[in-house]
Amino acid sequence: MGVLHSDRLEEIHEGAGDKSVSEVERKEKCGESKAESEMSEAYSYTATDKDQQGRLHQACGSLTRLLRTMGLALRRLLLRLGEDWIFLFLLGISMATISFGLDVSIAKLQRANLWVYDSLDHYLYLQYFSWVLFHVLLMMTSAAVAKYISPQAAGSGIPEIKVTLRGVVLAEFFTLRTFIAKLIGVTCTLAAGSTIFLGKVGPFVHMATILATQLGRLMVKLVGAKENPSRKYELLIAGAAVGVACCFVAPVGGVLFSVETTATHFAVRNYWRGFFAATCAALMFRLLAVINREKETVAILFSTNWRVEFPFDLPEYLSYAILGVVCGCVCCVYLFLHRTTLLFLQNDTRISKFLRNNRIVYAAFVSWVLASVTFPHGFGQYLGGTRLTMKEHLETFFNNITWGVEELSLGANITGQPPNPSYDNNWLQWTHPNMSTVEILACFVVLKFFLLLLANTMIIPAGYFLPVFVYGAGLGRLYGEIMAKIFQNGFISEGIPIKITPAGYALAGAAAYSGAVTHTLSTALLVFELSGQMSHILPVLIAVLIANAISQSYQNSFFDLIVIIKKLPYLPKLKMGQNSAHDICAEDFMVTNLQYLIKGFKYRDIRSLLKSCDLKQFPIVDSEESKILLGSVSRKILTKLLADQLSPERRIQYMLDKTGGNFNSDFTVSPEKSDEQKIDECEYTDPIYSAQETVVYESEEKHKTHTDTRRRCSAKFKSQYLKMVEEWECHQLNQEVPLEYLTIDPAPYRLLEKETLYQCYDLFNLLGLRMAYVTRLGRLVGVVSLTEIKEGVDGSVKGTFSPRTQEETEETLHLNPLTPGANSS
């Protein structure tokens, strides 16, 4: 048994040895080294690892299926509830939260600045240094953001939105990068307070439209729909309404103001979108104020305590009308100086170059000037309100206290050096030991007029509506205080003396002046929603209408001026109260020097047409005699068609077919040539030719090793090659263009000869047109573009329009370069 057991062990050992030898031989045959085998063993997966990996894959698959199910459920929910409602709700609460958070942050920054300023009470120079440094750093930061992060963030944003709603595509204007740059820039601008005297309405309208665009894209992806221009228009309208509503907490006035400033025509079906989103924004803003304990309950932004029974007497209607005249005249001067200043800075070569390259330095210089003028313990003590924010300015102007009466009661209580650092009674900021409140208000109105013009020249993210709104309130307050001084006992009605309320004139002045600057009437409704006072609705409307009538008669609106200066596509407004636009017809201002293609045209005609003009669209007519309009084709399509016809691939293929695939010095087909003869053929370099121009062979590089014989051979070959290419190109250009190869617009926009300028103006605005053809019984007789509409409107407004005579029309009808006569000549 022992022998058998030992024999058995030997056999087992021999078998194991044979197996190990065979395993080693197998690894050697496969080319595996010992190190490789060790590495493979080290990185080999065990059964436990494989189980864990399988479980991980299974968990990932389950999570993916769960997310997909949730996405489908969310999509069904959006489709059932309507994605517009959710989108508008999110837009409203998002912008309200941003606006409220911005206000809180700005208030803390301004309080910190005043705390540092008051801490240096006994060091006048340090106070000046801290005051100036604070504002200079903020403006430099704002200018740097507009220069380096996103140049599209500079300015208000409302003019660009106005142009976008007409169909003009402005790239990079609705991106998240622009949104971030705008938010940072406007935070710095508003933190500077009344020293820089700029607002946030325009930037918030811009940011709201950006957020609306981005949320719209997200909703489109969730729902699975497609983007279209009409939906983008609706999103922009809703965003503009939300931007105004979250600034003034005025949903109704915000919607109407956004429509007046951005849209020339407004579809009634979009009203509910604007009102719903604006209401959500206003409600969220007021709820946040309650949560932050700024308000005890949901209330208006500026609470007032005016008399409601007899707020004013009948003679005051005339006084409010005079205030409207004053606001309209001051507005015209302001818009004229604003346009003149910007045009001077733009047209002067040296200044324009300096501003382009040194925006930050210029912003620092302007902010230094503004901070020095408004320094509270310097000249700023005579301006009044230099320590107040823009909101506090409005609170003091809408205060029911008559300052001229209250300052008399103070008497000797005004002690110490001005300004009075009181936070409880902000109107005390308008008092001075050596000046009356009327004199301080007069200094404020005069100096702020020019300081605002200077501040508007900085290229930073800022709004321009709130400054003119506050300035108008100050102008109205000054007018009301003067009226209160003149009529100290007020007006007597039925034996009852009714005293004058200066705050009512401040309300009317804010609405009238801001409405005149922007050419809007909804500012009247804005002030009613801000103050909650509906008792002054008639006098305020009278002032707004008169100020608008004066402003629109002599100047363009503030935002239209920006559009003109930036040279963006726009249509000026028709003059109010005149019927001249109804007496001018399309035949009086249309262009009759037509550039068109005749049915059966050739590629040569396309090349001549593309060279002769820079138009983006060309009409196609059936014949030279009838000129019946068949449709239109774009320049891009014609260019691509001509490039394909004269492409290098077609030319090379033609050469190969012509020569049988062999080029020689004599440029003849010689299929019987031997290999030795092919080796001795002339060498040449294949040139690159243009697809639209006449082919010109250029070759300046010459091999120094070539012999003179080869050079003469190459020159002879070039001449023969050029001649053959010229013949090929001539043949290609003389071919007729098949209409089935063209993407033709069979129904371009058409106008009739007798359509008035007013009708053409409305069509171009409503449809966002840039060009329309004028026909007579289907015959093409002219074309009207935005340029002709502009000239017609300007001529009718200025009274300098002169219609084309019949002789001019007949002469220009035969100037088309593609007519047979023109071609033959």
Side-chain angles (χ1 to χ4, degrees):
M1 291 291 293
V3 174
L4 292 174
H5 182 68
S6 61
D7 293 341
R8 182 61 179 170
L9 289 175
E10 288 177 1
E11 290 178 0
I12 292 173
H13 283 296
E14 288 177 0
D18 294 340
K19 288 183 180 179
S20 61
V21 171
S22 62
E23 182 69 20
V24 171
E25 290 179 353
R26 185 181 63 81
K27 289 183 178 180
E28 289 177 355
K29 289 181 181 178
C30 296
E32 292 183 3
S33 63
K34 183 178 181 181
E36 291 176 348
S37 62
E38 291 177 356
M39 291 290 294
S40 62
E41 291 177 0
Y43 286 95
S44 61
Y45 289 102
T46 62
T48 306
D49 295 334
K50 291 181 179 180
D51 292 340
Q52 292 178 354
Q53 188 177 11
R55 292 173 185 173
L56 181 62
H57 283 296
Q58 187 176 3
C60 291
S62 301
L63 181 61
T64 303
R65 288 191 296 272
L66 178 61
L67 292 176
R68 187 178 300 172
T69 305
M70 292 176 61
L72 292 175
L74 180 61
R75 178 178 294 182
R76 294 192 192 98
L77 180 63
L78 290 175
L79 291 174
R80 179 173 297 179
L81 297 178
E83 66 273 14
D84 283 351
W85 296 100
I86 300 176
F87 158 75
L88 295 172
F89 175 76
L90 292 176
L91 176 63
I93 63 173
S94 300
M95 286 307 302
T97 305
I98 294 173
S99 178
F100 186 81
L102 189 66
D103 288 349
V104 172
S105 303
I106 290 168
K108 290 183 178 180
L109 286 174
Q110 291 174 338
R111 292 297 182 192
N113 176 43
L114 291 178
W115 179 80
V116 173
Y117 183 86
D118 293 335
S119 300
L120 303 172
D121 188 23
H122 300 290
Y123 306 95
L124 185 62
Y125 292 104
L126 290 179
Q127 279 186 319
Y128 173 77
F129 178 76
S130 67
W131 180 266
V132 171
L133 182 64
F134 177 77
H135 296 94
V136 169
L137 289 179
L138 287 176
M139 290 303 99
M140 291 180 66
T141 304
S142 183
V145 165
K147 182 177 181 180
Y148 295 112
I149 298 182
S150 177
Q152 290 77 16
S156 169
I158 292 180
E160 289 80 2
I161 295 173
K162 188 173 184 177
V163 172
T164 303
L165 291 176
R166 283 210 74 257
V168 179
V169 179
L170 298 177
E172 303 296 330
F173 193 73
F174 298 102
T175 60
L176 289 176
R177 182 176 182 177
T178 305
F179 181 90
I180 295 173
K182 200 85 171 182
L183 182 60
I184 298 173
V186 77
T187 303
C188 297
T189 302
L190 293 177
S194 60
T195 299
I196 305 301
F197 208 63
L198 294 174
K200 70 172 186 176
V201 176
F204 262 79
V205 170
H206 186 190
M207 288 191 292
T209 54
I210 294 176
L211 188 60
T213 304
Q214 300 299 327
L215 284 176
R217 292 176 181 172
L218 179 62
M219 286 294 176
V220 165
K221 291 181 179 179
L222 289 177
V223 177
K226 294 183 179 179
E227 294 187 19
N228 55 77
S230 61
R231 180 170 178 81
K232 183 180 179 181
Y233 179 89
E234 295 170 355
L235 298 179
L236 293 179
I237 287 293
V242 169
V244 181
C246 64
C247 290
F248 290 107
V249 199
V252 180
V255 172
L256 297 180
F257 180 79
S258 65
V259 170
E260 284 189 288
T261 53
T262 59
T264 54
H265 287 78
F266 189 81
V268 180
R269 68 177 182 274
N270 294 325
Y271 258 126
W272 72 270
R273 291 182 174 88
F275 278 112
F276 179 75
T279 303
C280 292
L283 182 61
M284 186 66 183
F285 191 93
R286 295 184 180 183
L287 288 176
L288 289 173
V290 175
I291 294 172
N292 200 44
R293 297 181 180 179
E294 293 185 4
K295 298 284 184 180
E296 294 181 0
T297 183
V298 178
I300 57 176
L301 195 60
F302 301 104
S303 58
T304 55
N305 54 352
W306 304 351
R307 291 191 310 271
V308 180
E309 294 82 6
F310 300 100
F312 53 87
D313 198 11
L314 185 62
E316 284 195 77
Y317 280 110
L318 178 61
S319 180
Y320 279 99
I322 296 174
L323 176 61
V325 174
V326 173
C327 290
C329 294
V330 175
C331 169
C332 288
V333 177
Y334 171 75
L335 291 176
F336 172 77
L337 292 178
H338 174 70
R339 180 186 62 184
T340 305
T341 303
L342 293 185
L343 288 177
F344 172 75
L345 295 177
Q346 185 181 33
N347 296 332
D348 190 279
T349 308
R350 295 181 180 179
I351 297 178
S352 178
K353 184 178 179 180
F354 175 80
L355 292 180
R356 284 196 304 268
N357 300 328
N358 303 278
R359 296 181 182 180
I360 302 176
V361 176
Y362 180 74
F365 170 75
V366 172
S367 58
W368 171 73
V369 172
L370 296 175
S372 299
V373 173
T374 58
F375 177 54
H377 281 82
F379 192 78
Q381 61 184 306
Y382 305 109
L383 286 176
T386 52
R387 296 168 58 96
L388 301 178
T389 63
M390 304 286 277
K391 181 181 177 182
E392 290 171 343
H393 270 80
L394 290 176
E395 288 177 348
T396 56
F397 290 147
F398 294 158
N399 194 340
N400 196 32
I401 298 175
T402 303
W403 296 352
V405 176
E406 289 294 324
E407 69 177 349
L408 294 177
S409 63
L410 290 175
N413 291 333
I414 302 179
T415 58
Q417 292 295 324
N420 192 335
S422 173
Y423 298 104
D424 297 329
N425 297 319
N426 286 326
W427 77 272
L428 292 177
Q429 296 287 328
W430 300 91
T431 59
H432 191 275
N434 302 321
M435 296 177 66
S436 65
T437 54
V438 174
E439 292 172 340
I440 292 180
L441 275 173
C443 290
F444 172 84
V445 168
V446 173
L447 288 178
K448 279 297 181 181
F449 182 87
F450 296 100
L451 294 179
L452 182 56
L453 288 173
L454 181 61
N456 288 342
T457 60
M458 290 189 293
I459 308 175
I460 57 175
Y464 307 110
F465 176 76
L466 187 59
V468 296
F469 190 84
V470 175
Y471 181 85
L475 182 62
R477 184 77 193 200
L478 173 62
Y479 184 86
E481 292 288 343
I482 294 174
M483 289 291 295
K485 276 189 173 294
I486 297 175
F487 303 97
Q488 295 183 3
N489 296 324
F491 296 98
I492 299 176
S493 176
E494 298 179 357
I496 302 175
I498 300 177
K499 291 188 176 182
I500 293 175
T501 306
Y505 289 95
L507 199 71
Y513 188 75
S514 59
V517 170
T518 57
H519 289 189
T520 57
L521 301 176
S522 56
T523 52
L525 188 58
L526 272 178
V527 296
F528 299 144
E529 289 188 271
L530 285 175
S531 61
Q533 289 289 340
M534 298 296 292
S535 58
H536 285 69
I537 183 169
L538 278 179
V540 169
L541 281 176
I542 290 173
V544 170
L545 288 171
I546 293 176
N548 260 278
I550 296 174
S551 176
Q552 294 189 31
S553 299
Y554 297 101
Q555 294 292 335
N556 291 314
S557 72
F558 183 90
F559 301 124
D560 287 343
L561 286 177
I562 300 297
V563 172
I564 295 172
I565 292 172
K566 289 187 175 182
K567 299 178 180 179
L568 299 173
Y570 83 107
L571 280 179
K573 286 186 177 180
L574 290 169
K575 196 171 183 180
M576 297 188 307
Q578 290 189 359
N579 295 324
S580 57
H582 295 280
D583 300 329
I584 302 173
C585 298
E587 61 183 354
D588 297 327
F589 57 86
M590 67 181 182
V591 175
T592 53
N593 183 13
L594 301 175
Q595 308 286 340
Y596 54 85
L597 292 167
I598 304 172
K599 183 180 179 181
F601 58 92
K602 301 178 180 179
Y603 289 96
R604 185 181 301 277
D605 299 330
I606 295 178
R607 189 170 69 170
S608 301
L609 189 64
L610 295 176
K611 286 184 177 180
S612 63
C613 61
D614 297 328
L615 298 177
K616 303 298 182 184
Q617 200 84 7
F618 299 98
I620 301 176
V621 298
D622 64 337
S623 65
E624 180 63 29
E625 292 75 20
S626 61
K627 292 183 183 176
I628 301 299
L629 183 62
L630 302 179
S632 64
V633 61
S634 66
R635 185 185 190 90
K636 182 179 180 180
I637 294 175
L638 292 178
T639 304
K640 184 178 183 303
L641 187 67
L642 185 62
D644 293 340
Q645 184 69 9
L646 300 178
S647 62
E649 292 80 6
R650 291 171 59 90
R651 186 186 68 249
I652 294 173
Q653 185 61 39
Y654 171 79
M655 297 301 176
L656 293 174
D657 295 340
K658 188 73 174 177
T659 60
N662 297 310
F663 294 118
N664 61 9
S665 59
D666 296 329
F667 216 84
T668 58
V669 181
S670 53
E672 296 83 12
K673 287 186 177 181
S674 61
D675 295 336
E676 290 79 4
Q677 290 175 324
K678 292 179 182 178
I679 293 174
D680 294 335
E681 289 178 349
C682 297
E683 299 177 2
Y684 66 91
T685 304
D686 191 20
I688 299 176
Y689 294 90
S690 173
Q692 296 183 13
E693 304 294 337
T694 303
V695 179
V696 178
Y697 191 94
E698 295 180 359
S699 180
E700 296 180 355
E701 297 182 358
K702 297 182 179 181
H703 299 286
K704 297 181 179 179
T705 58
H706 282 188
T707 61
D708 295 338
T709 304
R710 288 183 176 271
R711 290 181 180 179
R712 289 194 297 271
C713 178
S714 178
K716 182 179 179 182
F717 171 76
K718 289 178 185 179
S719 62
Q720 293 179 352
Y721 186 80
L722 285 174
K723 183 177 180 181
M724 193 170 183
V725 169
E726 185 178 356
E727 292 177 356
W728 171 81
E729 186 179 276
C730 183
H731 175 71
Q732 296 296 318
L733 292 175
N734 285 328
Q735 291 183 8
E736 185 176 327
V737 179
L739 293 181
E740 57 268 18
Y741 290 175
L742 289 176
T743 304
I744 300 176
D745 181 8
Y749 290 105
R750 308 186 187 194
L751 301 173
L752 299 178
E753 282 183 306
K754 297 301 179 182
E755 287 199 58
T756 63
L757 174 61
Y758 190 86
Q759 292 173 323
C760 297
Y761 180 87
D762 283 343
L763 283 174
F764 270 70
N765 270 327
L766 185 61
L767 301 176
L769 301 181
R770 298 188 181 182
M771 184 179 64
Y773 298 111
V774 183
T775 58
R776 181 199 303 144
L777 298 177
R779 174 185 171 88
L780 180 65
V781 294
V783 63
V784 174
S785 65
L786 279 175
T787 305
E788 286 72 49
I789 296 290
K790 286 182 188 178
E791 293 175 354
V793 172
D794 289 336
S796 65
V797 170
K798 298 177 182 178
T800 59
F801 180 80
S802 57
R804 292 175 178 267
T805 61
Q806 187 65 24
E807 289 76 9
E808 292 177 349
T809 303
E810 292 296 333
E811 288 177 3
T812 55
L813 275 175
H814 301 287
L815 295 180
N816 184 41
L818 301 181
T819 58
N823 289 335
S824 62
S825 61

